[in-house]
Amino acid sequence: MATLAIALINLVYFVRVRDHIFSSYAVFLLMLFTVFLGNSGMTVLLLPEVSHHFANYPMEMAVGLTFSCIAAFASHLFRSARSHRPVRYFFHYYFAFGVIMALSVPAGHYQTVARLMPLHGLVLITVLTALSIYLVRRGEVGARIYLAPCCWATLAMPSAFSSFREPSA
C-alpha cells in the first residue's frame, strides 16, 4: 500500500509542478503495485467474479510496462544524458521493449518475450548504474538521486531475480 501512496503523492507533485519526472515515477510505481497485486493473489480477492476471465493479464502486462516506465523515468532523471544519441536510443529501445512485452500478453506470445526479461533487466540496471556514476562524476544532481538507492537495490538483486516467475501457460 505504501507503493500506491507514494505513486499518488508523485501524481500530486506532477499536477503542481508539471515536471514529467514525477508522472513517469508515479506510473512506474503503479505498474509495480499491479505486479504486486497479481503476485500476491489479491486480484482474485478483489475481483472474485471476473478474475478467472483474465487470469494473469494485468500483472504480465504491468511487468512489460514497467520496463517502459523505467525508461521514461530514467530519461527524465538523466536529462543531460538524453543529448547523447546512444543513450537516447537506449531509452527508446527499452520503452519499445516494454510496450512489445505488454502487447504480447493478449497476443499470446508472452512466454517467448518474457524469456528475454532477465537479460534485459540486468543490462538495464548495469547501464543505468554506469550512467549514474558517469554523471555523478560530472556533478549532476539527478544521478545522485538514482545512485543512492541503486547501491541498496544491487544488494537485493539476487532475491528479486529469484522471484521472477516462469511465464504462465
Side-chain angles (χ1 to χ4, degrees), residues 7 10 21 25 34 36 40 93 99 124 139:
N10 276 277
I21 194 167
Y25 188 61
T34 305
F36 166 75
S40 65
Y93 171 78
V99 170
L124 181 65

Side-chain angles (χ1 to χ4, degrees), residues 77-122:
L77 184 63
F78 301 128
R79 288 184 180 136
S80 64
R82 279 192 300 193
S83 61
H84 301 300
R85 190 172 294 194
V87 174
R88 189 173 61 230
Y89 289 149
F90 178 80
F91 290 142
H92 286 294
Y93 171 78
Y94 269 86
F95 188 86
F97 174 72
V99 170
I100 289 169
M101 192 167 170
L103 293 175
S104 73
V105 174
H109 299 291
Y110 179 75
Q111 291 178 340
T112 305
V113 179
R115 287 183 183 16
L116 302 171
M117 183 178 52
L119 176 64
H120 277 74
L122 286 173

Side-chain angles (χ1 to χ4, degrees), residues 1 32-44 46 59:
M1 292 308 267
L32 286 181
F33 184 72
T34 305
V35 171
F36 166 75
L37 286 178
N39 277 340
S40 65
M42 291 298 291
T43 52
V44 176
L46 294 173
M59 183 190 67

Side-chain angles (χ1 to χ4, degrees), residues 48-167:
E49 295 86 21
V50 295
S51 65
H52 65 280
H53 291 297
F54 55 84
N56 292 329
Y57 274 33
M59 183 190 67
E60 291 170 348
M61 291 178 81
V63 166
L65 292 175
T66 299
F67 277 98
S68 297
C69 294
I70 289 171
F73 174 67
S75 176
H76 291 296
L77 184 63
F78 301 128
R79 288 184 180 136
S80 64
R82 279 192 300 193
S83 61
H84 301 300
R85 190 172 294 194
V87 174
R88 189 173 61 230
Y89 289 149
F90 178 80
F91 290 142
H92 286 294
Y93 171 78
Y94 269 86
F95 188 86
F97 174 72
V99 170
I100 289 169
M101 192 167 170
L103 293 175
S104 73
V105 174
H109 299 291
Y110 179 75
Q111 291 178 340
T112 305
V113 179
R115 287 183 183 16
L116 302 171
M117 183 178 52
L119 176 64
H120 277 74
L122 286 173
V123 170
L124 181 65
I125 290 168
T126 303
V127 169
L128 289 179
T129 303
L131 182 62
S132 66
I133 290 170
Y134 169 74
L135 292 174
V136 163
R137 288 184 177 170
R138 291 187 56 202
E140 294 286 331
V141 177
R144 289 183 186 146
I145 293 171
Y146 175 82
L147 193 57
C150 181
C151 294
W152 176 84
T154 302
L155 296 174
M157 195 182 316
S159 64
F161 278 104
S162 69
S163 69
F164 280 148
R165 299 174 356 155
E166 282 294 315

